[in-house]
Amino acid sequence: MKQLFTQLLLFIFTSAAFAQNYTISGYIKEQSSSESLIGANVFDKNTLRGSSSNTYGFYSLTLPSDTITLIYSYVGYGPQVIKFYLDADTTINMELSSNALLEEIVIRADEAEAIQEITQMSAISVPIEQIKSLPAFLGEVDVMKVLQLLPGVQSGSEGSSGLYVRGGGPEQNLILLDGVPVYNASHLFGFFSVFNPDAINNVQLIKGGFPARYGGRLSSVIDISMKEGNMKEFHGEGSIGLVASKLTLEGPIKKDKTSFIVSGRRTYIDLIARPLIKASTDGEETVGYYFYDLNAKINHKFSDKDRLYLSAYLGDDKGYSFYNDQYDYGSEINNYEEEISLRWGNITSALRWNHVYTPKLFSNVTLTYSRYRFDTRAEETNKTIRNGEQTTEYFRWLYFSGINDLAAKIDFDFIPSPNHYVRFGANTIYHTFSPGALNVKENVVNEITLGSDKTYATEYATYIEDDIEVNKWIKVNAGLHFSGFLVNGKSYTSLQPRISSRFLLSENMSLKASYVKMAQFIHLLTNSGIGLPTDLWVPTTEKIKPQQAHQVALGLARNFDGKYEVSIEGYYKTMDNLLEYKEGASFVGIGSEWQNKVEVGDGRSYGGELLIQKKEGKTTGWLGYTLSWTNRQFDNLNFGKRFPYKFDRRHDLSLALVHHWKSHIDLSLAWVYGTGNAVTLPRASYLGLEQYSGGFYEDETYYYGERNSFRMKDYHRLDLSIAFRKQKKWGERTWTFGIYNTYSRRNPFYLDLGYDDNGDRTFVQYSLFPVIPSFSYSFKF
Amino acid sequence: MKSYFYIISLLVVLASCESVIDVDIPHEPPKLVVNTLINPDSVIQVRISQSQYILDESNFKKVNNATVSIFEEGVLKEQLTKTQEDGVYISQFKPQIGKSYTLTAEAPNFTSIEATTFLDPKVPIEEIALDSTIEVNGSFCVDDSCITYYQVYYKVGLTLQDPGNEPNYYSTVAYVKRHYIYETQNPDGSYRIDTLEYIEQLYLFSNDVSVALAEFDLDGGGYWGEEILFSDETFDGQTYTFDFEIESGFDSHNKAEEIIFVLKHLSEAQYEYQISKELQNWNDGNPFAEPVPVYNNIKNGFGIFAGYSADTKVEKP
């Protein structure tokens, strides 16, 4: 292994040395706002050499001294061409404009780095404007739900924003918000995700062929970059919808030096409902629910070489009920108050420093803090005044769980020549797990805390990868990711080779193949199909080993005239050391240790995916189809037999289209179809142990047979939306009207025993959402 | 965990609609079902019934033409006698502590079933500590005859010596014996005071850390029921005091004479059965929970055949 490393390094440096070369480097940005363009291309027409910008918009391209014609391009933006004689290292900060979009400039395939050129496979970037244009549930634009429309990604239960990528669970997604992992990405029991689209610049999803720079999760990387804030002018945007309202403000603090962005969102069902509930219960009872999130970011440009970013996210969900009862018997006055609430939320914050050491070496240092917390509490106060003497009984019950992370990370991009793009770095995370503790306080004096102790763990990783252009036809991304985990005196390490490669079969078509090994040191205990806050994050311990996956993927990518991109991929994935609750256990109690309530098993997933994407023109969008199989095997579940995963979906089809009908009218459509979820249903019933409770009754017991051996009905749904834009003196306003589940398909949510009209026992299907119209008003200035 | 469940249920109820659907569930031939707990203080009573297709909802058919045999330590001990009661078979002997028992049953058109259990020795109640709080709930007077209503809360500490180096499972139940004092009319028309003795099962509440199902009522932080199951997971081989509470209402005509505490030493099978049964009932109808299979130790059939031994201690309140 060591030898391979030395050879690799030697190769990189020698190949960089033999010609009289100069480096062009700089940042590629959006013209009007100076937002970084991530993954924009820069390309020399004469040598056919190119590079692309990283997460911070930085690029570097080293070429031999000669007359060069540089073309800068980015999907949806007008390209820029610069021609000059290269005889020194040059910094070019390029700004591209999207105004040219409607003039339909076609970027020819040989000018942009198209799908068949890149080594990365199983990855998709969805432009944020496209995400915002697609129909949204109750008018709330949701990044995660748009990602569910991509092949290889299954949605969970109806309406849920959880992602199940290539047979993996939602905890196996590395969801990065500005480089910080987010643990629970759902609001309102998964119906909405925590990301406010107005604050987002770019979203990338990787399902396989993971580059070595990513690690710590098995199944996917969802890399979300927040906007940086407009460096030139003050702008704002916002919307008022049925469920929530949001407002984003951004602008320069010092022009072209410092900028900020703040973005907030809150739901208001509770504010409307509260007075109604209060009125209907004579003021005795209040029930409510809300969530909010806040994003803020400041960035400062010290020079072309140094830039600092400080970003933070704060979000919470809160459900509460309050009950008050009073009576007055003259001799006795009583006042009873009861408050029950549950609350969960994330905080993430990151301080990042970009530094350009040389035009070929870019670095980023990140310090992050994040916290996920869930607590539910019940509080009772009972005050009694009897014969002028007051007695107070007080009881408080508090259950909390959570995870706190402190992390430091350093990453380098080294671009010695157009044939190499080297990335290397290291990171460490200090985790504090609080897997469920109960605090009970009674009458001030008695206070006890029970539960699993806090666990402290250190996770670390280091990696190196190189994107190597071996020759015109072959390009390889090879890397190693080494990670480790220290917990309770026990140490785990994992060396993960990552390789992906592409072979050009013709100018427009390439064959891609990849193999990756992934390791994950944290687990999620969940008994629900949706992202419930009671889902518990727990670490790998002495008894519970890290999760591990191997994945191979093979695919074809073809570009048709730069208008359509088509990719077909097949994958096979194994996952080990997966956790599930023991049969019947559904929530970690206080008395017993969580480790005694889980079973360890493995999973397999394989299938094929087709994606046809149209990125430009009046109509854009994609068609995705997935054929897949996913199963699980646990020695102590389902009699040790392999069973289908709950979200094993044989066929999954989605169509997402956005059409610029007129200059001020956009139409969009999303249609999804999926095989029904796997479900366990009772097959027979029998008499249970006879119970005597006041009298004898026959207690029915169900026999279920094998787990997930039945299927619900197929799921399909059509969503439509139309947006009317209008320019105003102050800016632009948009009215958006949407219809969710247009033909009101009764999609299965769950099945239960029930009765038909004749009173005979039958299975009853419960459906959640019929046709739901929505509208929202949004503005931009 | 009720609070989150309520909120979700609310959402589901608000938004959901029901439709009757056909699910193609295969019919399987019915199997014999037996649910029998044996203990050294009673003869063995077995009820044989049959399982049915999930969408049939008639009362469970009992099987009256079965041959039911009990083997002690692998040797045939007795063939049980059919009683008058529907599907019920009974033994002459009482099982003994420290022996294993096998039950077999065969009946025409059914696959024969078999199940085995072992009768563990009883674990004695070493001590009962009772701490009571009495509240007067009020009184009711007619003329000069008054009834006072009381509510009594007992905090109970039940001490046991757990046998070491093996998992042990327990349950506890409590009864109250009362004298009901009432006035009755003599044949000659005069009145006299009479008493009637009766026994009533009490509800128990516990948030002791060893309670098996404590997490089920997390909002209250404990478990409430007529029988509380617990295990020695946290106190293997130690002298342990299991804490619980009982609550009893009575009036001045209706006093508690004795409280009877029973500590059952359960076989693992019974413990697993009762817990999984309760979990199945608990998760039934919850769209977010995986259904729970009930523990079954009847080979080729369904049900439970398990043993326990009980120790009893009587306390004067």
Side-chain angles (χ1 to χ4, degrees), chain A residues 93-340:
Chain A
N93 291 329
M94 177 53 66
E95 291 183 340
L96 299 181
S97 161
S98 62
N99 295 341
L101 182 67
L102 297 173
E103 293 161 26
E104 274 225 63
I105 288 174
V106 177
I107 298 169
R108 296 229 323 266
D110 58 0
E111 288 169 355
E113 192 162 55
I115 185 169
Q116 76 279 8
E117 294 280 341
I118 53 174
T119 46
Q120 178 67 57
M121 65 185 303
S122 317
I124 307 159
S125 275
V126 183
I128 192 75
E129 286 310 318
Q130 203 165 39
I131 289 176
K132 286 185 175 182
S133 304
L134 284 167
F137 177 54
L138 291 170
E140 268 313 292
V141 174
D142 195 321
V143 172
M144 302 297 264
K145 286 191 181 160
V146 172
L147 296 181
Q148 286 174 349
L149 299 174
L150 296 168
V153 184
Q154 322 282 29
S155 54
S157 309
E158 162 115 56
S160 156
S161 62
L163 302 186
Y164 297 78
V165 181
R166 290 187 170 170
E171 79 281 13
Q172 295 173 354
N173 302 319
L174 179 64
I175 304 171
L176 295 172
L177 182 65
D178 267 356
V180 191
V182 176
Y183 286 96
N184 185 332
S186 65
H187 276 313
L188 190 68
F189 309 107
F191 290 125
F192 300 102
S193 73
V194 300
F195 306 108
N196 179 347
D198 288 348
I200 293 172
N201 177 13
N202 190 65
V203 179
Q204 194 190 25
L205 168 77
I206 309 175
K207 305 174 287 183
F210 304 100
R213 60 184 179 277
Y214 295 112
R217 299 288 190 283
L218 296 191
S219 290
S220 82
V221 176
I222 297 153
D223 199 346
I224 299 173
S225 308
M226 270 173 69
K227 279 186 186 169
E228 288 160 9
N230 198 313
M231 277 280 185
K232 292 178 176 165
E233 285 174 318
F234 182 77
H235 281 285
E237 68 182 295
S239 72
I240 298 159
L242 284 177
V243 183
S245 281
K246 48 184 190 273
L247 179 67
T248 302
L249 297 172
E250 59 177 322
I253 293 173
K254 196 173 175 207
K255 204 177 170 189
D256 291 325
K257 278 281 176 203
T258 313
S259 70
F260 77 96
I261 178 166
V262 253
S263 189
R265 169 168 72 157
R266 193 195 192 277
T267 59
Y268 37 66
I269 304 165
D270 61 315
L271 300 179
I272 299 163
R274 193 155 52 195
L276 297 175
I277 295 168
K278 261 198 140 152
S280 67
T281 60
D282 297 328
E284 284 177 354
E285 201 163 352
T286 314
V287 183
Y289 178 89
Y290 69 88
F291 69 76
Y292 70 89
D293 38 44
L294 271 175
N295 290 282
K297 192 166 176 176
I298 291 182
N299 84 91
H300 179 70
K301 201 166 119 185
F302 290 96
S303 67
D304 272 349
K305 289 189 169 163
D306 288 286
R307 205 163 170 166
L308 202 65
Y309 301 85
L310 179 63
S311 56
Y313 164 84
L314 169 68
D316 260 319
D317 275 59
K318 191 173 178 183
Y320 56 89
S321 94
F322 183 78
Y323 177 79
N324 182 285
D325 190 25
Q326 294 180 29
Y327 64 83
D328 188 345
Y329 287 159
S331 66
E332 192 174 304
I333 302 166
N334 181 275
N335 184 19
Y336 177 77
E337 279 178 15
E338 180 190 86
E339 194 178 348
I340 298 172

Side-chain angles (χ1 to χ4, degrees), chain A residues 397 527 587 597 755 768, chain B residues 15 28 57 62 215 218 288:
Chain A
W397 178 89
N527 191 35
F587 187 71
K597 295 200 154 191
Y755 296 92
L768 269 193
Chain B
E28 288 171 38
E57 214 200 1
K62 309 303 179 300
E215 61 260 36
L218 261 183
F288 306 109

Side-chain angles (χ1 to χ4, degrees), chain B residues 283-300:
Chain B
N283 278 358
D284 186 28
N286 177 355
F288 306 109
E290 194 59 46
V292 182
V294 170
Y295 179 89
N296 178 20
N297 70 349
I298 311 292
K299 200 173 153 192
N300 301 322

Side-chain angles (χ1 to χ4, degrees), chain A residues 323-372:
Chain A
Y323 177 79
N324 182 285
D325 190 25
Q326 294 180 29
Y327 64 83
D328 188 345
Y329 287 159
S331 66
E332 192 174 304
I333 302 166
N334 181 275
N335 184 19
Y336 177 77
E337 279 178 15
E338 180 190 86
E339 194 178 348
I340 298 172
S341 74
L342 75 162
R343 192 158 93 142
W344 73 97
N346 295 286
I347 290 178
T348 73
S349 51
L351 179 67
R352 298 187 294 174
W353 170 48
N354 286 178
H355 180 68
V356 181
Y357 284 93
T358 73
K360 291 174 185 170
L361 184 64
F362 174 91
S363 85
N364 176 55
V365 177
T366 311
L367 297 174
T368 69
Y369 167 75
S370 69
R371 189 202 70 190
Y372 169 65

Side-chain angles (χ1 to χ4, degrees), chain B residues 15 78 84 97 203 250:
Chain B
E78 192 183 330
Q84 292 295 312
I97 279 169
Y203 269 97
F250 65 97

